[in-house]
Amino acid sequence: MNLRPLAVGSDGAIRTVWRLPAVDVVRGRRALWWSVGPTGQLAVLLVHERYLDRSRYIKGWVGWQPKLPFTGELVTVAGGEERRRLVEGIRMRPSHLALLPDSRFLLVSGRTSRGEAEEGWASNAVVFSPSGTPEAEFCVGDDIPALATDAHGGIWTAYGDAGIYGGHPESGGGLAGWDVRGRASWAPGGRLPQCPLHGCTAATEEDQVWLVWYSSTSSGGTFLSRITPSTGDVVSYVSPVRTPDGFAVRGDRAVLTRRDHNKRSVEVVRAALDGTTWTVTSRRRVRVPGRVVMHCGQGRDGFLWLRAGNTWLRIEA
């Protein structure tokens, strides 16, 4: 395989934003869940190894599982400045971290379960205050491979097949929107071109949200759905890349990535929108500083953030 080395910042297109400091690694801290906020701040939750078990079968950081309850340290990086805050007594196993307005944040487990009939579905989302205290708990559906928040605190989810066919009412639509109190605020309502089977990744562009998913039908493919939260309108496009791990858009330009699983390389694809069709304009395979596994990409306002091991890169659309 012919790989091009990563040109960090040489042309302004791909830059290294943050690396987990060596002192954290030496002291046994592992960088687990991460996200980028609507204003471009990176957030990473560190957990010490004493709270963790390691899977023999799952590669990369996603193979670490916390023992409950556990303590984490939330690191936020913005404008070259790093801030940290301790979060104690976490009583859930997160799959996603997301930032909310007013310095609050959200932890979400990708799975939930149905309780007794009168109890409904178990909570799998917790909102934390700026000081790290739980403020609210609720359920945002079952089997969530992709999640993002918007600038107003809306929560956007794309579901997997276990959620879509598992009986949860909002998960059954394949995509959903929620408010910060856990109330369903948006559903596709039959406005998608195909029936979703699995979510891939998510992005935001100003006041719009993009959810990327693939279809379960024999003629299906991968789709990019652009949602306008203020009106509920949704427009879907055929993706120029099958099942991307990351997607970011700026106007009529987009960048998408696909990983070589658990290897130090990704395919970076650039595309342009011509009317109703996204067309590939370039492809290149890039060597990155660390191994790339699941949940490696997130798009914010024209920048695709990519996690490679303990290094976070930013690729401009």
Side-chain angles (χ1 to χ4, degrees):
M1 183 182 296
N2 184 21
L3 296 181
R4 296 178 59 177
L6 176 68
V8 178
S10 63
D11 58 2
I14 304 178
R15 294 183 180 275
T16 298
V17 178
W18 188 73
R19 290 187 178 92
L20 178 67
V23 65
D24 285 310
V25 177
V26 170
R27 292 176 178 174
R29 300 188 183 106
R30 299 297 172 220
L32 300 185
W33 312 281
W34 70 281
S35 184
V36 178
T39 60
Q41 67 274 49
L42 173 67
V44 183
L45 190 62
L46 308 185
V47 181
H48 196 277
E49 284 185 354
R50 65 175 171 269
Y51 296 110
L52 300 172
D53 289 322
R54 178 68 172 165
S55 170
R56 295 175 56 188
Y57 308 104
I58 303 175
K59 303 296 184 181
W61 66 270
V62 291
W64 293 100
Q65 289 294 320
K67 296 175 282 190
L68 304 184
F70 69 95
T71 295
E73 186 174 38
L74 185 67
V75 181
T76 55
V77 181
E81 182 180 358
E82 179 184 305
R83 295 186 178 183
R84 300 190 176 214
R85 47 181 155 160
L86 203 63
V87 186
E88 298 180 299
I90 301 174
R91 298 181 177 275
M92 64 182 300
R93 292 183 174 90
S95 301
H96 303 281
L97 163 68
L99 298 184
L100 296 168
D102 303 320
S103 299
R104 296 173 298 162
F105 64 96
L106 177 75
L107 291 178
V108 175
S109 172
R111 298 305 308 269
T112 185
S113 60
R114 176 177 271 166
E116 300 297 329
E118 65 273 13
E119 295 178 355
W121 292 80
S123 296
N124 64 343
V126 180
V127 175
F128 289 83
S129 72
S131 64
T133 302
E135 287 187 340
E137 296 184 13
F138 45 82
C139 179
V140 290
D142 185 33
D143 190 12
I144 309 169
L147 179 147
T149 53
D150 63 34
H152 304 290
I155 303 163
W156 299 89
T157 46
Y159 299 96
D161 58 348
I164 292 169
Y165 297 106
H168 188 281
E170 279 74 31
S171 302
L175 313 177
W178 307 82
D179 68 17
V180 76
R181 297 181 181 178
R183 297 175 296 199
S185 60
W186 181 87
R191 292 173 290 177
L192 300 178
Q194 306 255 354
C195 179
L197 177 65
H198 197 82
C200 299
T201 188
T204 59
E205 183 196 18
E206 297 181 343
D207 289 331
Q208 295 179 322
V209 177
W210 293 76
L211 297 175
V212 183
W213 53 277
Y214 62 85
S215 170
S216 61
T217 65
S218 59
S219 61
T222 303
F223 295 88
L224 316 173
S225 289
R226 184 188 68 205
I227 303 159
T228 304
S230 61
T231 63
D233 293 340
V234 57
V235 179
S236 297
Y237 305 87
V238 175
S239 174
V241 175
R242 183 176 175 83
T243 60
D245 298 301
F247 168 75
V249 60
R250 185 190 303 277
D252 60 358
R253 305 193 314 273
V255 59
L256 306 95
T257 54
R258 291 191 69 189
R259 74 184 186 275
D260 291 324
H261 185 66
N262 200 40
K263 296 182 179 180
R264 298 172 183 266
S265 62
V266 295
E267 182 182 37
V268 178
V269 181
R270 297 190 180 276
L273 181 63
D274 181 9
T276 60
T277 303
W278 284 98
T279 302
V280 172
T281 57
S282 70
R283 291 178 183 267
R284 61 171 174 151
R285 196 164 298 277
V286 175
R287 189 181 298 278
V288 293
R291 298 184 185 275
V292 184
V293 295
M294 297 182 294
H295 305 302
C296 61
Q298 187 176 135
R300 287 292 191 184
D301 290 323
F303 292 96
L304 195 162
W305 293 71
L306 177 70
R307 176 174 185 171
N310 285 327
T311 301
W312 278 261
L313 310 172
R314 195 176 70 180
I315 306 172
E316 187 171 1

